[in-house]
Amino acid sequence: MTVRSSSSSPALSRLRDRSPGLAASLLGGAVAAGLGLGALSVLVMVLWVSSPYPDSGPAGALHVAADLWLLAHGVELVRADTLSGTPMPVGVTPLLLLVLPVWLLYRAAREATDAPAEPDGPPPVPARTAWTGVVLGYLGVGVAAALYCAGGEPRPHWGWLTVCLPAVAAGAAGAGVWSAHGHPAEPALRVLAVLPGRVRRLVFGGDERARLGAAARAAGAATAVLLGGGALLVGVSLVWHGAAARASFLQLTEGWTGRFAVLLLGIALIPNAALWAASYALGPGFAVGAGHLVSPFASDPAPLLPPFPLLAAVPEPGAGAPLNWAAGLVPAVAAMTAGWFVARAAVRRPRPGEPVRARWTAGQTAGVVLLTAVVCAVAVALLTALAGGPLGVAALSRLGPLWARAGGAAAVWTSVLALPVALSARAWRLLRGRHPRSGGGPAQGAEAGGAALEGTPGESGSGTAAGAFVASVEPGATGETPDRGEPPGPGAGAAGAPAGGGHGDAGSAASASGAGRWGRGRRRAAARPEAAEEDLYDFLPAEDPFPTPFTETHAGDWHDDMARASRWAALRQAASDSAPAPPTEPSPAEPPAISPPRTDPMPPQPGPGTRPHSSE
């Protein structure tokens, strides 16, 4: 009976058992949409159950949950049953609600790609297949939710539904697939290919990937500082108008369930308020109604706004004061942050013991700053456009930042303040790193020895320190004899010769430096001729700073027999290669002894313990 071993590897088993890529992607997108809807439905049902006076039944609560889910994607809702009979739009998206569907889509796309963790695993699902399946599965559930909400109040606006829902699904799923494939730069470079070649070469030069990555990181840092500064301004204004905010919070409802719902709505609108404050600090400000603009320079009288805690933080109408102008510190700090990030990318990170070198010239650094300003302007304009919208008609038809002006102001702030900061920080980093720090790298003797050992075995010269390095660790240089009665190799005498020959200067210079750990080990070995073999390597660092073809990869195997034999072989090889060639002519001080030719065979010489044979 023959027992056959299984020849199928785990990778092949996983590839065989995996579901088709498109079907799994469709299921992942549908599950992501269902999880988002389910989370909001649970929250709304909890509030409905705890409400003492519910206005509708469970169907109405589920309808509100579906409306909130669509509103989180930017879909505008329309309420038709108003007192005036005019449909009232609701278009302000709570940006904190947008985080949940975006994160679920991102995770679904990453899982649908099914990128293996092991290098020998099966190939991942193609990017187009995973992205298409997740987007179609998510949109299928979204259309079903929109059809469910179409028969109630409020209902989704079909024009906004066909634009916002696919845009959010495609963007978040694309980010997930891009992340699963290792953040490749090719998609961004393909987008840049639409630019004319002359413009692309002028802006990006020959390193589009590095410049675009640096600009994206700097713009992201500047946008994060803007958002953080805006949130700080909102908190300060709420504290300043604390009495009005508290009165509006208590005026909306009397029950604890209603106040808890208002509190949750306020928390979901905190990112919107932070973007409003960021637009205020940038200069353009925000609108609190049609024709009513609030900016640091002047604030128009606001119309009759509904009582809400966040709206109580709006500055009072009138001309701007120095306290209002102080909000300009937020975009100034954001622009300087962007300049610092560009300066960090403009200077290469040096290796230990090497001077700092510039990656880009001053002109190229200025170009990266301008590119950062453009990216930051696009990001701020997109975020401020999402943060606003209508809450009705007439006076409430326009609420939120002026996104086009906010983006332009962000570009101006970044280009004006980030440019001098980037150039100054770049010059400072180059000036500080022109000379390597003392003690930051190995000693000069160690560097010379490492440079000599890195050469080919056939190279030798009188100015290298290879002879000094070998003489310091070879047993012949310390007065020791090899173990196990082995005769000294051909490199033993050669290793000791350079001590007083042509290599002695380099060896003495390397040993006299003594600034590194290797120098201390050589002096200790030379001072103790009876030192054991382990003492010769007692001061070696855990990681060899001068790698050779015989360098060990594991620090724990340094003292085993195989590693010790490899080191002795490497040292003898280096000594034999760097030793001077033997003289071809006899020295005049010691003439060679010339013996006459012998015709008869030489008789055997008597040993020390034998008697000579008699001729008799």
Side-chain angles (χ1 to χ4, degrees), residues 192-296:
L192 297 178
V194 300
L195 297 175
R198 182 175 301 177
V199 176
R200 189 169 61 252
R201 288 190 299 269
L202 179 63
V203 176
F204 299 101
D207 52 349
E208 297 95 343
R209 184 174 305 182
R211 297 192 189 185
L212 187 60
R217 288 188 294 270
T223 306
V225 173
L226 272 177
L227 288 176
L232 180 62
L233 292 179
V234 171
V236 171
S237 184
L238 281 175
V239 173
W240 188 270
H241 303 86
R246 182 175 180 274
S248 62
F249 180 76
L250 297 177
Q251 182 181 355
L252 283 173
T253 180
E254 296 181 357
W256 288 104
T257 304
R259 291 178 181 177
F260 182 69
V262 173
L263 179 62
L264 291 180
L265 180 58
I267 293 174
L269 288 171
I270 285 179
N272 300 64
L275 286 169
W276 288 30
S279 179
Y280 178 86
L282 286 169
F286 55 88
V288 290
H292 300 276
L293 187 64
V294 178
S295 68

Side-chain angles (χ1 to χ4, degrees), residues 16-397:
R16 187 186 305 111
D17 298 338
R18 187 171 60 186
S19 302
L22 184 59
S25 303
L26 286 170
L27 180 60
V31 169
L35 288 176
L37 269 172
L40 289 178
S41 299
V42 169
L43 179 62
V44 172
M45 291 299 293
V46 168
L47 294 176
W48 175 78
V49 169
S50 59
S51 176
Y53 307 106
D55 295 336
S56 59
L62 293 176
H63 184 90
V64 171
D67 283 332
L68 284 177
W69 185 79
L70 293 175
L71 183 63
H73 294 77
V75 178
E76 188 175 295
L77 304 177
V78 179
R79 184 176 180 180
D81 55 344
T82 59
L83 296 177
S84 61
T86 304
M88 304 288 289
V90 179
V92 178
T93 300
L95 292 182
L96 199 60
L97 294 181
L98 179 61
V99 174
L100 179 62
V102 167
W103 181 76
L104 290 173
L105 274 166
Y106 176 82
R107 294 296 303 174
R110 281 185 60 92
E111 295 295 333
T113 305
D114 198 11
E118 61 275 3
D120 57 344
V125 176
R128 293 184 180 180
T129 302
W131 179 82
T132 303
V134 170
V135 171
L136 291 180
Y138 196 88
L139 291 181
V141 178
V143 170
L147 291 175
Y148 175 75
C149 297
E153 292 292 336
R155 63 190 65 180
H157 191 283
W158 289 102
W160 286 99
L161 179 68
T162 56
V163 174
C164 295
L165 189 62
V168 172
V177 172
W178 177 69
S179 175
H181 281 270
H183 307 89
E186 284 74 14
L189 298 180
R190 291 176 185 174
V191 174
L192 297 178
V194 300
L195 297 175
R198 182 175 301 177
V199 176
R200 189 169 61 252
R201 288 190 299 269
L202 179 63
V203 176
F204 299 101
D207 52 349
E208 297 95 343
R209 184 174 305 182
R211 297 192 189 185
L212 187 60
R217 288 188 294 270
T223 306
V225 173
L226 272 177
L227 288 176
L232 180 62
L233 292 179
V234 171
V236 171
S237 184
L238 281 175
V239 173
W240 188 270
H241 303 86
R246 182 175 180 274
S248 62
F249 180 76
L250 297 177
Q251 182 181 355
L252 283 173
T253 180
E254 296 181 357
W256 288 104
T257 304
R259 291 178 181 177
F260 182 69
V262 173
L263 179 62
L264 291 180
L265 180 58
I267 293 174
L269 288 171
I270 285 179
N272 300 64
L275 286 169
W276 288 30
S279 179
Y280 178 86
L282 286 169
F286 55 88
V288 290
H292 300 276
L293 187 64
V294 178
S295 68
F297 307 102
S299 297
D300 298 333
L304 184 61
L305 297 175
F308 195 74
L310 292 178
L311 292 178
V314 176
E316 293 84 359
L323 189 60
N324 303 100
W325 303 337
L329 293 175
V330 172
V333 173
M336 289 187 288
T337 303
W340 178 259
F341 271 78
V342 173
R344 287 185 57 187
V347 178
R348 297 182 184 273
R349 182 174 298 178
R351 296 180 179 178
E354 293 185 357
V356 177
R357 297 179 181 179
R359 174 178 295 169
W360 304 318
T361 62
Q364 293 172 345
T365 304
V368 176
V369 170
L370 296 180
L371 182 61
T372 302
V374 173
V375 176
C376 186
V378 172
V380 170
L382 179 62
L383 291 175
T384 50
L386 292 175
L391 278 181
V393 294
L396 297 179
S397 61

Side-chain angles (χ1 to χ4, degrees), residues 579-596:
T584 58
E585 297 181 359
S587 176
E590 296 180 0
I594 302 176
S595 59

Side-chain angles (χ1 to χ4, degrees), residues 490-550:
H503 298 285
D505 298 335
S508 61
S511 301
S513 62
R517 299 165 67 180
W518 287 57
R520 292 196 298 267
R522 289 197 296 270
R523 292 201 304 271
R524 180 177 179 182
R528 292 193 303 156
E530 68 279 1
E533 183 182 356
E534 288 79 4
D535 294 339
L536 298 175
Y537 303 92
D538 194 18
F539 289 86
L540 286 175
E543 182 179 0
D544 191 2
F546 310 110
T548 64
F550 302 95

